[in-house]
């Protein structure tokens, strides 16, 4: 693998060697200048004879060289590395020039003065040897060149001075000088060997690094790039050229900017400006992302690089790495998109929608918020499976989007919860939009050959009137939605402050209801059924009552929907069935008891088993129990409901269809399940005398029910005329205030209960019942 630290090391060594050379070179020049300066000073200050001047010269050389030596030692204490031959030649030349200059002054003195002694020559020569060996110590060849030049000049000087007697001395001096040179060579040979070894090692390393880099480049998705000092791409690798070159253009010689420029791509100009700023300032940079496009597809390059300097610290270009980060970038963009959007429908999600609402509220914008909930979606999921549910949601999301204006936005907040923010503030327009949305949602979707359909209920709130914060406005729209659902599905409702108060009250009631069972605040009243012909009591219907400790009597019409909404209807419903069964079991006859079972109770698949367990526990014969269900049970999740109803009926329990004629009144339900009884809704019975249409409808229901062999019960009979008419047209059973109001178990007439056993558990249910003996008129 590519190891950047190896490359870094070799480049550091390069720089260091450059500095060593530079320092050594400077030493020579400075020594020359320094000694000339010292000699001049001595001459000026002492005005003495030439002897003194020469001595001063010698001293100057020694002092200046010593200082330089110390400096050079400090700078060059690292092992010296290989030096380029050209540098060496240049340095040797400098050394010769320096040596000649240094010696020519004493030579000139020698030739122009008398009494120059051997001692002076000796001192001079040894002094220069001494300084030379140290000044040029870092570079052996130059040190030798310096000494030999000095020696040569000294011999010439001695000869010219005609000092025969000194020749022997000069020969000796030559021997000593050569010895000293050999000594220096020996001293430095280790260093030299080391340098050669280092050179070899470095060459090896460079080779290895190059190999590694090549291998790295071949295997990875990155490309190495380099430029010359004019920032023109140099020696581009084939892979790099192939990846970058547009239309096969030759990259070499083009600037980085030219190579990466793609003005048609968004963000390219800005990225190049950033890159150029780094390049112009010779700064190292990392991961500058440059967008490009190829065949109308955008891709992203990540560019890193750093400036490279030669041994003399001169900028020679940039080297770096480029990588195609398109895949990572797209994944990143996808992740960012998913954080803001719903994965299934691709609509904005809660996070994005809330942020939008907050911004709009902060800016003081007015808008309407529509909270939409699908009716019957759970049934689709349960009946057709999640793929069908998903398909439906995607389709509905599309339809909602299509129904909106360009400035409106729809988001999916959860399972089947959608919200719309619309700039529309006119209630009439919003009402017509809601109708359109409900209509669009209700259109069936074909899934694997079957038509599946759901409805929609909508709650509407206006900002900022109905809420100053995101939470408040969403809560208001939800309150309105809850109201729309309660009023019957497929409707829309505008939020009102009263609704809010109502919602708060409802929340409070739900709280209270949770503990109502434990506090024995719930009781059952019973309303008899009368045989239309004989006038005898055939049984009764158990109707729940809540005696709230502070609010008094609360009717089921008020709290049953809350119990359904909160799921509390399941334990409450079980309690009702058990108490009703226990009550009927205490009678000394075979009269039936009817209990109302909510659709929510059917969502729990164990309902038939629980009914069976209760029957066993209370000992009531199954055929003495009747459950009353409304059509809604078949609307929500028909398959599951029919299944459960079948199981209940298989136990021997009778099943009645309550409130028939209201709601959906789809006759197909009568075909789908063999109900034992149909209860004609009170609203038709009460209009019987006044409205002919009610008579026609009641007669039609009777015809159908009789044809299907079902018992027909008319609810809410208050007048004898109503009873007479219904008897005349063939109705089997009556229920209504005319025959008896719902009453507490204790007050049930003996005609219904027979000779009730004294220890009836329901009858001994406590004092509570004594305070609510019968429903007041
Ligand atoms: P429902 O099952 O249709 O019950 C008949 C309702 O009509 C009862 O109201 C009853 O008191 C009332 N009623 C009977 N005869 C007359 C009459 O001649 N005139 C008038 N004006 N009303 C009459 P209630 O008890 O207020 O119950 C209302 C609804 O609450 C019931 O309608 C039923 O759907 C529901 N409910 C009652 N008890 C339970 C229960 O234990 N579980 C469930 N899930 N729902 C229940
Ligand atoms: Mg009923
Ligand atoms: Mg009813």
């Amino acid at each position: 693998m590519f190891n950047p630290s190896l490359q870094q090391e070799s480049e550091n060594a390069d720089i260091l060697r450059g500095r060593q050379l530079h320092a050594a070179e400077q030493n020579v020049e400075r020594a020359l200048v320094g000694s000339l300066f010292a000699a001049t000073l001595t001459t000026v200050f002492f005005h003495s004879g030439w002897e003194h001047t020469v001595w001063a010269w010698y001293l100057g050389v020694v002092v200046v060289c010593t200082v330089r030596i110390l400096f050079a030692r400090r700078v060059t204490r690292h092992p010296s590395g290989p030096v380029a031959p050209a540098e060496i030649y240049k340095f040797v030349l400098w050394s010769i020039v320096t040596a000649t200059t240094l010696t020519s002054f004493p030579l000139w003195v020698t030739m122009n003065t008398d009494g120059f002694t051997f001692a002076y020559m000796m001192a001079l020569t040894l002094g220069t040897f001494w300084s030379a060996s140290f000044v040029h110590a870092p570079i052996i060849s130059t040190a030798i060149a310096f000494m030999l030049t000095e020696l040569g000049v000294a011999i010439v000087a001695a000869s010219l001075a005609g000092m025969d007697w000194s020749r022997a001395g000069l020969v000796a001096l030559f021997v000593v000088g050569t010895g000293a040179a050999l000594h220096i060579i020996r001293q430095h040979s280790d260093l030299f060997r080391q340098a050669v070894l280092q050179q070899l090692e470095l060459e090896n390393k460079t080779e290895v690094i190059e190999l590694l880099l090549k291998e790295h480049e071949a295997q990875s998705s990155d490309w190495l790039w380099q430029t010359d000092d004019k920032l023109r791409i140099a020696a581009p690798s084939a892979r790099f050229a192939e990846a970058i070159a547009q239309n096969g253009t030759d990259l070499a010689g083009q600037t980085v900017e030219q190579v990466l420029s793609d003005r048609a791509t968004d963000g390219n100009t800005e990225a190049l400006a950033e890159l150029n700023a780094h390049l112009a300032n010779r700064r190292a940079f990392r991961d500058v992302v440059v967008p490009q496009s190829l065949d109308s597809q955008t891709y992203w390059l990540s560019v890193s690089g750093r400036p490279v300097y030669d041994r003399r610290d001169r900028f020679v270009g940039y080297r770096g790495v480029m990588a195609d980060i398109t895949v990572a970038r797209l994944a990143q963009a996808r992740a960012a998109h998913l954080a803001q959007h719903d994965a299934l429908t691709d609509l904005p999600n809660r996070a994005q929608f809330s942020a939008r609402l907050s911004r709009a509220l902060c800016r003081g914008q007015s808008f309407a918020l529509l909270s939409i909930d699908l009716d019957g979606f759970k049934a689709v999921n349960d009946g057709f499976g999640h793929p069908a549910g998903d398909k439906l949601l995607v389709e509905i999301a599309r339809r909602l989007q299509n129904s909106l204006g360009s400035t409106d936005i729809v988001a999916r907040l959860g399972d089947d919860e959608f919200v719309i923010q619309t700039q529309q503030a006119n209630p009439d327009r919003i009402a017509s939009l809601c109708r359109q949305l409900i209509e669009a949602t209700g259109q069936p979707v074909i899934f694997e050959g079957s038509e599946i359909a759901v409805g929609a209920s909508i709650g509407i709130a206006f900002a900022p009137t109905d809420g100053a914060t995101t939470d408040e406005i969403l809560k208001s729209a939800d309150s309105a939605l809850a109201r729309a659902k309660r009023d019957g599905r497929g409707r829309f409702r505008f939020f009102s402050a009263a609704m809010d108060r109502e919602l708060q009250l409802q929340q409070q009631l739900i709280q209270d209801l949770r503990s109502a069972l434990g506090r024995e605040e719930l009781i059952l009243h019973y309303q008899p059924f009368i045989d239309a012909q004989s006038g005898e009591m055939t049984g009764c219907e158990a109707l729940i009552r809540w005696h709230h400790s502070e609010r008094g009597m609360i009717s089921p019409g008020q709290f049953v929907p809350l119990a359904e909404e909160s799921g509390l209807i399941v334990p409450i419903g079980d309690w009702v069935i058990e108490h009703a069964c226990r009550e009927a079991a205490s009678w000394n006859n075979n009269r039936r008891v009817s209990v109302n079972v909510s659709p929510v109770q059917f969502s729990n698949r164990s309902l038939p088993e629980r009914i069976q367990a209760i029957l066993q526990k209370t000992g009531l014969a199954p055929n003495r129990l009747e459950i009353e269900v409304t059509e809604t049970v078949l609307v929500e999740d028909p398959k599951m409901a029919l299944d459960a109803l079948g199981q209940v009926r298989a136990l021997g329990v009778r099943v009645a269809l309550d409130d028939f004629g209201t709601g959906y009144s789809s006759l197909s339900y009568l075909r789908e399940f063999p109900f034992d009884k149909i209860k004609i809704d009170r609203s038709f019975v009460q209009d019987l005398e006044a409205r002919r249409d009610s008579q026609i409808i009641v007669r039609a229901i009777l015809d159908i029910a009789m044809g299907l062999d079902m018992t027909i019960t008319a609810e809410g009979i208050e007048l004898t005329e109503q009873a007479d008419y219904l008897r005349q047209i063939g109705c089997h059973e009556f229920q209504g205030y005319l025959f008896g109001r719902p009453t507490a178990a204790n007050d049930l007439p003996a005609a219904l209960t027979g000779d009730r056993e004294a220890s009836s558990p329901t009858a001994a249910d406590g004092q509570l019942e004594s305070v609510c003996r019968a429903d007041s008129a």
Side-chain angles (χ1 to χ4, degrees), residues 524 527 541-545 555-557 560 564 569 576 596-598 601 628 658-659 679 682 686 715-718 735-738 742 775:
L524 287 183
Q527 187 180 27
E541 178 178 4
L543 294 160
I544 196 166
R545 301 288 178 265
S555 81
V560 166
E564 287 176 333
I569 194 68
V576 169
N596 294 283
V597 178
S598 144
Q601 287 172 265
E628 293 186 12
D658 204 355
D659 303 340
K679 294 182 78 179
R682 195 171 72 218
Q686 292 185 335
E715 313 182 282
I717 303 175
E718 294 181 357
Q735 184 187 15
Y737 291 171
L738 180 68
D775 288 4

Side-chain angles (χ1 to χ4, degrees), residues 113-169:
T113 54
D114 296 330
F116 218 91
T117 62
F118 177 72
Y120 281 123
M121 287 299 295
M122 183 85 148
L124 172 70
T125 314
L126 283 177
T128 46
F129 270 143
W130 182 83
S131 59
S133 63
F134 281 95
V135 169
H136 298 281
I139 298 173
I140 305 157
S141 47
T142 56
I144 296 168
F146 188 89
M147 283 189 301
L148 291 179
T149 309
E150 288 276 9
L151 192 64
V153 173
I155 290 170
V156 170
S159 306
L160 288 176
M163 296 174 190
D164 288 342
W165 56 269
S166 64
R167 278 203 187 140

Side-chain angles (χ1 to χ4, degrees), residues 221-223 243 289-294 297-302 322-334:
S221 59
D222 308 349
W223 316 285
V289 177
V290 185
Q292 305 259 289
S293 51
L294 189 66
Q297 292 274 321
T298 304
Y299 66 101
W300 289 267
L301 294 176
S302 165
M322 251 181 235
D324 184 343
I325 55 160
T326 308
V327 174
R329 186 92 184 189
L330 289 176
Q332 216 176 15
R334 179 79 190 135

Side-chain angles (χ1 to χ4, degrees), residues 464-696:
T465 352
D466 299 336
T469 66
T470 309
D471 285 347
E472 276 175 20
I473 189 80
L474 277 167
K475 196 169 145 252
S476 299
D478 282 345
S479 302
L481 172 66
R483 182 52 178 268
K485 283 207 167 253
R486 206 164 296 135
D487 287 354
R489 283 116 198 270
R491 289 160 208 256
F492 59 91
R493 289 287 177 269
F494 287 94
F495 173 80
S496 71
M499 219 177 253
D500 195 31
R501 283 196 296 277
E502 191 186 319
L503 196 79
Q504 280 174 10
L505 174 73
Q506 282 164 357
Q507 295 307 323
Q508 185 57 50
L509 282 180
I510 289 174
Q511 284 282 342
D512 297 348
L513 196 55
R514 253 176 243 286
S515 48
L517 261 183
R519 292 206 299 250
E520 296 187 352
E521 289 180 359
L522 298 180
I523 49 167
L524 287 183
H525 276 190
Y526 299 88
Q527 187 180 27
F529 295 125
I530 309 293
D531 183 276
Q533 297 305 322
S534 66
E536 272 181 30
M537 288 191 190
T538 54
C540 66
E541 178 178 4
L543 294 160
I544 196 166
R545 301 288 178 265
W546 180 12
H547 188 255
H548 193 284
S549 52
E550 289 158 22
R551 298 178 201 272
M553 219 40 150
I554 300 177
S555 81
Q558 214 179 333
F559 75 85
V560 166
L562 299 180
E564 287 176 333
E565 196 181 304
S566 59
L568 285 170
I569 194 68
V570 176
I572 291 176
D574 284 358
W575 178 89
V576 169
I577 300 171
E578 188 173 335
H579 272 66
C581 288
R582 193 158 286 159
E583 169 61 29
S586 74
W587 303 336
N588 248 343
N589 54 35
N590 281 334
R591 303 240 153 85
R592 280 192 320 270
V593 69
S594 255
V595 286
N596 294 283
V597 178
S598 144
V600 180
Q601 287 172 265
F602 280 92
S603 58
N604 190 322
R605 287 180 189 272
S606 66
L607 180 70
E609 285 141 53
R610 294 201 318 271
I611 292 179
Q612 188 178 24
I614 291 170
L615 287 170
Q616 276 168 4
K617 194 167 155 191
T618 57
L620 186 77
N623 63 356
R624 292 185 60 202
L625 175 66
E626 185 170 70
I627 62 163
E628 293 186 12
V629 295
T630 54
E631 288 164 326
T632 38
V633 81
L634 295 167
V635 173
E636 278 289 312
D637 189 349
K639 196 172 166 295
M640 197 168 108
L642 287 171
D643 235 41
L645 285 175
Q647 288 178 46
V648 171
R649 205 157 177 273
L651 294 173
V653 174
R654 285 164 58 90
V655 180
L657 187 58
D658 204 355
D659 303 340
F660 193 76
T662 57
Y664 297 88
S665 295
S666 164
L667 295 179
S668 68
Y669 297 138
L670 298 179
R671 240 181 18 186
E672 278 169 39
F673 190 79
F675 290 99
D676 296 288
K677 185 198 248 187
I678 289 182
K679 294 182 78 179
I680 301 174
D681 192 68
R682 195 171 72 218
S683 52
F684 296 102
V685 175
Q686 292 185 335
D687 286 347
L688 269 181
E689 323 90 82
R691 295 178 59 160
R692 223 177 85 80
D693 51 1
S694 287
Q695 294 175 8
I696 293 166

